[in-house]
Amino acid sequence: MKKILVTGANGQLGSELKKLSKNEQFDFVFTDVAELDITDIRECMAFFDKIKPHFVINCAAYTAVDKAESDKLLAWKVNVDAVKNLVISSSISDSYLIQISTDYVFDGKSSTPYVERDLTHPQSEYGRSKAVAEVEALSYPKSLVIRTSWLYSTFGNNFVKTMLRLGKERESLNVVFDQIGTPTYAEDLAAAILRIIGKIASKEKDFVAGIFHYSNEGVCSWYDFACAIMKLGCLNCKVYPIETADYPTPAKRPEFAVLNKTKIKSVYGIDISHWRSSLERMIDSLNQTETTE
Ligand SMILES: NC(=O)c1ccc[n+]([C@@H]2O[C@H](COP(=O)([O-])OP(=O)(O)OC[C@H]3O[C@@H](n4cnc5c(N)ncnc54)[C@H](OP(=O)(O)O)[C@@H]3O)[C@@H](O)[C@H]2O)c1
């Protein structure tokens, strides 16, 4: 049975992979920093030597975008140095490496959805570290970089869960309407990654290295997203659109970060749901968890 090593498995994407792994014909090894600190090269090499994974999905990252502006050292250690460690370890065990990246590698000045070959020009420390990590990962011929955007899940903390909480606590909220992108349900991304691995492992598809974009389908602003969350969450909280200038944050975000997904659909035959139907599924899933608890 093919072995899949998942790093950063307690995060949003890692937890979704864990949930889906129960229906998969692979031998999974889930690790987070307690089991495998990917910033430690010796630990990585010893772990890979013991496990000998066929596939590695790196879900570990420093994802606190604003905090990364002042905590650069740690952000770069986790997002860049650790990826170098995974490249070295993967090359020794001849594993395929799947590195997850972000729309924040772009400056957001485009007016059409970004394709994989577009030049990166990150505007934040997080974005810069993830862009360098892409280069590191791609130095290894058996690597795939999957860029995603606006990730949310029933696990961990994210925009959807924050809006649902604030929607219960407040009568109104201000949300920016001048940053455009696409939300991504981490369960969908996890399913897409496992589908790609399944196709490579079964030889249904040849392995194609490089960068691939994956988010849900459609486009919205954070304001539109918040309105949809309130509606699907049956909350009466009024959402008001505001400009980014009225909501200053330490890290600059891209204004337009829509990803073009044509490549992943054509190369690996991946179907993608619209963000609104995925959001509906996520909120249903949250409600089910709440009623069974
Ligand atoms: N979240 C988004 O909106 C978003 C958008 C686009 C792309 N992405 C990318 O998607 C990927 C998955 O994101 P996510 O939201 O699932 O991340 P997440 O929820 O923040 O999970 C990351 C996990 O990595 C762990 N980790 C941190 N340092 C580690 C280390 N040295 N060794 C091993 N594990 C370590 C974290 O542990 P601690 O919590 O203890 O630090 C956490 O469990 C990341 O590459 C991220 O950059 C995320």
Side-chain angles (χ1 to χ4, degrees):
M1 204 188 278
K2 300 273 188 207
K3 205 174 267 187
I4 301 180
L5 169 63
V6 180
T7 57
N10 295 346
Q12 300 192 82
L13 181 60
S15 300
E16 295 287 359
L17 282 164
K18 210 179 282 173
K19 186 179 83 189
L20 297 183
S21 67
K22 295 172 180 78
N23 307 321
E24 293 285 333
Q25 300 296 314
F26 292 103
D27 183 5
F28 284 88
V29 180
F30 291 100
T31 62
D32 207 278
V33 67
E35 299 78 26
L36 173 60
D37 177 353
I38 60 167
T39 64
D40 185 329
I41 181 67
R42 282 168 194 269
E43 225 183 281
C44 281
M45 288 171 74
F47 203 90
F48 275 60
D49 189 46
K50 194 169 101 196
I51 301 291
K52 299 191 174 43
H54 295 94
F55 295 91
V56 180
I57 311 172
N58 181 25
C59 302
Y62 186 106
T63 56
V65 176
D66 287 319
K67 210 168 149 216
E69 294 298 309
S70 52
D71 194 14
K72 289 182 198 175
L73 233 56
L74 185 59
W76 280 73
K77 197 172 171 193
V78 178
N79 289 349
V80 181
D81 298 351
V83 175
K84 289 185 196 172
N85 296 342
L86 294 179
V87 163
I88 295 167
S89 309
S90 298
S91 66
I92 294 170
S93 57
D94 197 32
S95 321
Y96 290 102
L97 173 63
I98 299 179
Q99 165 67 11
I100 312 300
S101 194
T102 169
D103 55 323
Y104 284 18
V105 298
F106 295 120
D107 61 16
K109 301 287 176 222
S110 178
S111 52
T112 53
Y114 283 99
V115 293
E116 288 79 354
R117 62 178 180 279
D118 280 332
L119 283 183
T120 60
H121 186 210
Q123 300 295 295
S124 63
E125 216 47 56
Y126 168 75
R128 277 186 284 277
S129 68
K130 295 294 285 185
V132 173
E134 290 185 352
V135 176
E136 292 297 339
L138 293 170
S139 69
Y140 178 52
K142 289 181 79 171
S143 75
L144 275 186
V145 170
I146 302 183
R147 287 189 190 129
T148 191
S149 60
W150 299 20
L151 209 58
Y152 66 91
S153 160
T154 54
F155 302 99
N157 295 317
N158 51 63
F159 184 78
V160 178
K161 289 167 94 174
T162 304
M163 287 298 115
L164 290 172
R165 179 175 51 78
L166 294 177
K168 285 177 195 149
E169 292 169 7
R170 296 195 195 169
E171 284 183 0
S172 69
L173 274 176
N174 296 334
V175 181
V176 296
F177 75 95
D178 53 359
Q179 286 173 35
I180 311 295
T182 313
T184 305
Y185 184 16
E187 185 191 74
D188 292 349
L189 174 59
I193 294 170
L194 293 176
R195 208 158 153 63
I196 291 171
I197 290 180
K199 288 183 179 199
I200 297 167
S202 67
K203 303 203 185 325
E204 183 187 331
K205 293 273 179 192
D206 289 334
F207 173 75
V208 178
I211 302 176
F212 291 84
H213 287 173
Y214 182 96
S215 67
N216 281 127
E217 293 287 17
V219 174
C220 65
S221 68
W222 288 107
Y223 163 74
D224 298 318
F225 192 27
C227 291
I229 296 165
M230 295 305 166
K231 189 158 184 231
L232 291 168
C234 302
L235 297 165
N236 289 324
C237 178
K238 181 95 183 97
V239 184
Y240 294 107
I242 56 162
E243 292 177 28
T244 299
D246 294 325
Y247 187 75
T249 52
K252 193 169 183 292
R253 268 90 173 153
E255 283 159 32
F256 179 88
V258 179
L259 301 174
N260 180 322
K261 279 89 59 182
T262 305
K263 187 178 170 193
I264 202 164
K265 287 188 265 187
S266 61
V267 173
Y268 284 115
I270 298 300
D271 294 329
I272 308 182
S273 319
H274 190 271
W275 68 263
R276 213 178 272 273
S277 56
S278 293
L279 176 64
E280 205 170 331
R281 266 192 294 118
M282 182 273 194
I283 291 181
D284 281 350
S285 175
L286 266 184
N287 290 339
Q288 275 172 20
T289 320
E290 275 170 19
T291 47
T292 51
E293 271 174 4

